[in-house]
Amino acid sequence: MAITLYDFELSGNCYKLRLLMSILRLRYDIVPVDFFPGKHHKSDWFLRLNPFGQLPVLQDGELTLSDSGAILAYLAKKYDETGLWFPDDPAVTAQVLRWHAVADDITATSSAARLALGYDYDFDIEKTQKGAHRIFRLMDEHLWFGEREARDWLASPAHPTTADIACFPYVMLSEEGGIGREDYPALRRWTDRVRRIPGFTVMSGIFPAGRALEQA
């Protein structure tokens, strides 16, 4: 059965799914949803798919799923034959789900600032920017101490998981919300590592790691 993604190209939450499906080499169809300015995610036809009125939505055969973190877990559990992207180890599963929750916090801060500045959403810009900086500081410390222990990723395994996919987009897009990353060197190094994962794909505002960075 075909996979269908209801997608807004400029949405970081939709991009998370496109990124993982690219890495897993999954084929899928896209149904574009006019999030802005059309706000079609609040239309009757879309609310029948997801009563919460949020993107993304993914259909896999007869199954309809919403929430990017839940869909990342589903795709990894069903289609990742290596079992690496959403490991079965209970302790690691807890770590990954914890970072999925952090990704929701990043959406509520960094993404909200981006929506306020670029899409005229009525969010408190200063509050959302301050909230994003608080999360980025915590992530930078976590990654810096991880690097001292030869851990390159957010969760403990020696390979990326859906935790990294979940948190990545709205960190990379933060400057569109007026949130610089110059004070977070370990966070920037982590984004470079994510951008070198085989199968990485781009979206507007997110580009592959350059050759100069690879040699740094």
Side-chain angles (χ1 to χ4, degrees):
M1 299 292 284
I3 297 174
T4 300
L5 174 64
Y6 291 80
D7 178 69
F8 179 61
E9 198 277 336
L10 299 179
S11 162
N13 282 327
C14 294
Y15 168 68
K16 297 172 187 179
L17 307 187
R18 300 197 302 270
L19 176 55
L20 183 62
M21 289 194 285
S22 177
I23 291 169
L24 297 179
R25 298 183 178 183
L26 296 179
R27 299 181 64 178
Y28 60 97
D29 298 320
I30 283 181
V31 176
V33 178
D34 185 0
F35 175 86
F36 183 86
K39 296 188 178 181
H40 289 178
H41 58 300
K42 302 300 182 184
S43 64
D44 289 342
W45 72 268
F46 188 86
L47 292 175
R48 285 193 288 273
L49 288 172
N50 180 11
F52 291 99
Q54 297 170 332
L55 285 165
V57 167
L58 183 135
Q59 289 182 319
D60 189 5
E62 300 299 320
L63 182 64
T64 300
L65 298 168
S66 60
D67 183 86
S68 60
I71 299 171
L72 286 175
Y74 168 80
L75 290 171
K77 295 294 288 184
K78 182 168 182 178
Y79 292 108
D80 173 25
E81 295 180 353
T82 71
L84 297 177
W85 284 98
F86 198 84
D88 285 331
D89 181 287
V92 177
T93 299
Q95 292 174 23
V96 170
L97 291 177
R98 180 69 188 92
W99 284 108
H100 282 201
V102 173
D104 290 340
D105 292 339
I106 297 172
T107 299
T109 54
S110 179
S111 173
R114 175 175 177 253
L115 289 174
L117 287 177
Y119 299 84
D120 295 325
Y121 270 64
D122 186 20
F123 292 122
D124 184 328
I125 296 174
E126 183 178 356
K127 180 179 179 180
T128 55
Q129 291 174 335
K130 184 177 179 180
H133 278 297
R134 182 183 65 82
I135 296 169
F136 288 3
R137 278 194 296 274
L138 292 171
M139 292 181 69
D140 190 68
E141 290 177 5
H142 175 76
L143 289 161
W144 188 90
F145 283 110
E147 289 173 346
R148 303 287 79 76
E149 301 169 352
R151 174 178 53 75
D152 287 336
W153 309 102
L154 291 175
S156 60
H159 54 79
T161 66
T162 58
D164 302 284
I165 301 296
C167 292
F168 172 74
Y170 287 124
V171 171
M172 281 299 298
L173 295 168
S174 66
E175 292 182 351
E176 295 182 11
I179 304 158
R181 298 187 299 278
E182 60 272 16
D183 292 334
Y184 312 113
L187 187 67
R188 297 200 308 274
R189 290 192 292 273
W190 167 76
T191 63
D192 287 340
R193 291 192 288 273
V194 173
R195 291 186 291 163
R196 294 193 189 97
I197 294 172
F200 179 84
T201 190
V202 300
M203 68 168 280
S204 179
I206 299 179
F207 306 97
R211 181 175 298 276
L213 290 175
E214 291 175 357
Q215 294 173 344

